[in-house]
Amino acid sequence: MNVADLLKDLQSRYEQAMARADDLRRQIEHLTSALADAENRLADLAPARKIVQEITPDGIAPTPPSRPLPTSRFWTPSISTPDQPFRVRELHELLGWPTDDPP
């Protein structure tokens, strides 16, 4: 390998390293911003948590209702059988809506 080839190889490696460093700088900038957003959200939630703990007995947060959300009764069948089409008629039946055709 002659000196010119060596210099070209070094230049190529230098450019690759610079591109990688630039990419990492962009990632750091994005992560720094995301971290600041998360920390701000935590700061916003802390007073609410404190209030809930103060107004509940023994500082225990109230438990959410044990019954499923109303939407789960029609989403669950469609999720459990993704290979089968979910028909409008089935949705109407699950919601308790009329299923007969309009006159």
Side-chain angles (χ1 to χ4, degrees):
M1 179 178 255
N2 64 29
V3 175
D5 291 339
L6 182 60
L7 288 173
K8 285 180 186 178
D9 184 53
L10 287 173
Q11 182 65 30
S12 174
R13 290 179 187 208
Y14 177 82
E15 290 170 359
Q16 289 173 352
M18 283 297 290
R20 176 74 175 138
D22 289 342
D23 183 50
L24 290 171
R25 283 186 198 97
R26 281 190 293 275
Q27 288 180 26
I28 289 170
E29 185 178 314
H30 171 73
L31 291 172
T32 300
S33 174
L35 177 60
D37 291 345
E39 288 174 339
N40 288 336
R41 183 68 177 144
L42 286 171
D44 291 344
L45 292 172
R49 182 177 184 208
K50 183 178 178 182
I51 290 170
V52 169
Q53 287 176 335
E54 288 175 359
I55 62 174
T56 55
D58 300 324
I60 299 170
T63 57
S66 60
R67 61 189 178 111
L69 296 174
T71 55
S72 65
R73 65 185 173 150
F74 60 86
W75 286 121
T76 303
S78 67
I79 293 170
S80 62
T81 56
D83 55 330
Q84 296 178 354
F86 194 64
R87 293 179 175 78
V88 173
R89 180 180 195 83
E90 295 168 348
L91 178 61
H92 278 234
E93 289 172 355
L94 287 169
L95 293 173
W97 294 353
T99 56
D100 40 341
D101 295 325

